[in-house]
Amino acid sequence: MVSSKSEAGLIYNIKFSSVGPANVTGQDVVYEPSNIDVAMKLHYLRGIYYFNSQAFQDVTIYQVKEPIFLCFNHFYMTAGRFRRAESGRPYIKCNDCGARFIEAQCDKTLEEWLEMKDASLEKLLVSNQVLGPELAFSPPILIQQTKFKCGGVSLGLSWAHVLGDVFSATEFINFLGKVVVGYQPARPNNLAHSLTKANSTQTLQKIVEDPLSIKRVGPVEDHWIANNSCKMESFSIQVTASKLSQIQSRTEIKGPFESLCAIIWQSISKIRDGPEPKVVTICKKSEEKKEGLVGNNQVIGVVKVDHSIREANPSELARLIKNDIIDERLKIDESIENDHGVSDVVVYGANLTFVNMEGADLYGFDWKGHKPMNVSYLIDGVGDAGTVVVLPAGPNDSSKDGDEGRIVTMTLPEDEIMKLKFELNKEWSIA
């Protein structure tokens, strides 16, 4: 299938096909997402990997697709389709339906594209499709290859968050790189989750109130995206390694993520109408060993303050983010369990949400010895309170000491963006 040009001709010659497992999974194989997975079902990760012209020189489209077939042998639940049990709880029927594969061309060179630094345009390089309204026909993964005028290539990964967090998504794409150079994956024996259930005391506590980190929406039924009450827009800023060092000195906290979150939290508090965001959600890599190939294992917690954010010392806010996160995963687990897995909630944007992707191996994707020159991730399906994603700028933006800069991608109500850029530039000389 071929479609016409998009966004004033930037992306054109768009073709659709499918890729699935090379082997048959078997009959009546199902995969049940955990309660935390179900809580994330209205969110989507969109990752973009940029490669220079040498990486895919003389590579045919079949040579790109072939290792994906083998990758799905290993991650076969990601090639299935969602169904609902009689109770209404969603599960994946592992029926080998595969992923959607998109080919496209871009009217710009890779250098010209990266110089635009426009997060909203980046969405053209990765599918924005969501699950539903016909779940049985909706792939949870879509992969887009876009060829630039110079021969450079981007690979876009659209990943339904119900499958797993960014650490699972990067494991999937990095595994693909291993298959490309001849690694033969064995089909895993058991993909079932071992769910962590709260004890009876925690269950009684949960019945009283919902976790602070989720917000009920909907019902969305089988169209897995929440409606916003305002228009949301995304934009990115790049903070160099030297600028990051200055910010950490001013906030008196040795932690890039915590320092950036503190100044952005305070800046949003200054420009946002209405009450200050005195509860924020923090998502970051868990130190616990992951069970299964994919899943939402990241820490989801909240930080609460009872004083003015506008008047606070940024170093105190950074310290709270570093040391005083209240982990809410057990509460979320129990909340979804009590609703028999049919809840419709948002996590990202239920409160102002800060997502730390520093622990993800973003540059671990290797295509026959070629590493991506740039990697970008953003989150779709964000609630009205907004989300701030912090990820490494990559080895090309490192100081002489080896410290990397950071890319900060924010998804916020449209009317806040210009005001926030002005505030960040005035106070911190960024944006």
Side-chain angles (χ1 to χ4, degrees):
M1 178 181 174
V2 180
S3 77
S4 58
K5 290 191 176 186
S6 61
E7 291 288 328
L10 280 175
I11 305 297
Y12 65 98
N13 199 22
I14 303 168
K15 303 174 184 177
F16 297 86
S17 57
S18 295
V19 288
N23 298 331
V24 177
T25 296
Q27 298 220 346
D28 301 321
V29 178
V30 299
Y31 174 82
E32 184 176 358
S34 73
N35 290 326
I36 299 286
D37 294 339
V38 172
M40 305 300 291
K41 76 173 190 268
L42 304 185
H43 301 301
Y44 301 85
L45 291 166
R46 318 292 193 192
I48 305 167
Y49 294 77
Y50 296 92
F51 291 87
N52 63 28
S53 56
Q54 287 77 37
F56 286 83
Q57 190 172 18
D58 301 322
V59 175
T60 67
I61 197 64
Y62 180 76
Q63 289 172 320
V64 176
K65 287 182 175 181
E66 186 179 23
I68 300 175
F69 301 147
L70 298 174
C71 194
F72 279 133
N73 282 347
H74 196 64
F75 291 90
Y76 64 82
M77 70 298 225
T78 64
R81 295 293 184 267
F82 277 92
R83 301 284 195 273
R84 287 192 186 271
E86 289 184 8
S87 65
R89 185 184 179 95
Y91 68 92
I92 297 176
K93 182 176 177 61
C94 301
N95 55 10
D96 302 329
C97 281
R100 193 81 70 244
F101 191 88
I102 304 164
E103 303 164 59
Q105 291 178 268
C106 180
D107 211 26
K108 301 283 185 184
T109 66
L110 185 52
E111 185 179 2
E112 288 170 341
W113 183 274
L114 292 175
E115 290 216 344
M116 291 193 291
K117 297 179 180 177
D118 190 334
S120 62
L121 283 180
E122 275 201 311
K123 293 183 178 181
L124 297 175
L125 303 181
V126 61
S127 173
N128 62 2
Q129 186 171 318
V130 301
L131 289 166
E134 295 181 278
L135 287 178
F137 299 100
S138 294
I141 289 179
L142 297 95
I143 298 170
Q144 177 171 330
Q145 182 198 53
T146 305
K147 293 183 179 179
F148 293 89
K149 194 163 63 172
C150 60
V153 166
S154 70
L155 288 179
L157 174 67
S158 175
W159 175 274
H161 217 308
V162 65
L163 293 174
D165 51 34
V166 68
F167 309 101
S168 290
T170 52
E171 277 191 38
F172 171 84
I173 199 78
N174 295 349
F175 190 87
L176 174 60
K178 295 177 184 177
V179 174
V180 168
V181 292
Y183 177 68
Q184 294 289 329
R187 185 177 291 274
N189 294 322
N190 183 11
L191 293 175
H193 272 290
S194 176
L195 298 181
T196 304
K197 298 295 182 185
N199 62 37
S200 57
T201 303
Q202 291 164 326
T203 302
L204 289 173
Q205 290 173 340
K206 161 61 201 75
I207 292 172
V208 177
E209 58 184 11
D210 272 336
L212 292 171
S213 53
I214 67 172
K215 178 182 178 183
R216 294 183 180 275
V217 296
V220 302
E221 298 180 345
D222 285 345
H223 194 197
W224 288 2
I225 189 71
N227 292 320
N228 294 98
S229 63
C230 57
K231 186 177 180 183
M232 306 293 286
E233 281 291 341
S234 297
F235 75 100
S236 295
I237 57 174
Q238 185 153 351
V239 184
T240 64
S242 58
K243 174 58 68 176
L244 192 55
S245 178
Q246 294 173 20
I247 292 171
Q248 289 181 87
S249 296
R250 284 183 62 182
T251 57
E252 302 171 356
I253 285 286
K254 182 67 175 171
F257 174 73
E258 292 82 4
S259 297
L260 287 169
C261 290
I263 67 172
I264 294 170
W265 185 6
Q266 185 171 64
S267 298
I268 290 175
S269 298
K270 289 179 179 179
I271 62 97
R272 180 165 285 181
D273 296 332
E276 295 180 277
K278 293 188 175 182
V279 177
V280 295
T281 300
I282 308 293
C283 300
K284 63 178 185 176
K285 187 175 185 179
S286 172
E287 298 303 319
E288 300 163 12
K289 188 177 183 303
K290 187 174 72 175
E291 295 181 7
L293 287 175
V294 296
N296 284 281
N297 302 284
Q298 67 180 350
V299 173
I300 303 172
V302 295
V303 173
K304 299 189 292 183
V305 297
D306 55 8
H307 52 75
S308 172
I309 309 299
R310 298 184 185 101
E311 306 301 326
N313 187 327
S315 63
E316 172 61 14
L317 297 178
R319 187 194 64 78
L320 289 171
I321 294 167
K322 192 176 185 72
N323 300 321
D324 289 0
I325 299 173
I326 304 167
D327 193 337
E328 293 218 312
R329 285 176 293 176
L330 282 176
K331 286 186 176 182
I332 297 171
D333 179 276
E334 204 58 39
S335 175
I336 301 299
E337 181 69 18
N338 285 349
D339 291 338
H340 308 293
V342 299
S343 313
D344 294 323
V345 304
V346 293
V347 176
Y348 299 128
N351 309 304
L352 177 60
T353 305
F354 296 96
V355 183
N356 186 355
M357 292 191 180
E358 291 176 353
D361 189 9
L362 298 175
Y363 288 83
F365 183 25
D366 185 310
W367 186 275
K368 294 186 177 180
H370 295 277
K371 293 281 190 182
M373 55 188 294
N374 191 277
V375 177
S376 173
Y377 266 84
L378 57 86
I379 295 171
D380 261 354
V382 170
D384 293 345
T387 292
V388 178
V389 177
V390 179
L391 60 158
N396 293 329
D397 184 42
S398 298
S399 69
K400 60 183 179 181
D401 300 322
D403 295 329
E404 291 183 0
R406 296 294 184 273
I407 296 172
V408 184
T409 301
M410 297 176 242
T411 302
L412 297 165
E414 184 183 41
D415 63 358
E416 293 183 355
I417 289 176
M418 291 307 297
K419 292 184 284 185
L420 178 59
K421 285 182 176 180
F422 177 81
E423 183 67 26
L424 287 171
N425 195 45
K426 181 183 74 170
E427 292 294 331
W428 301 95
S429 300
I430 59 176

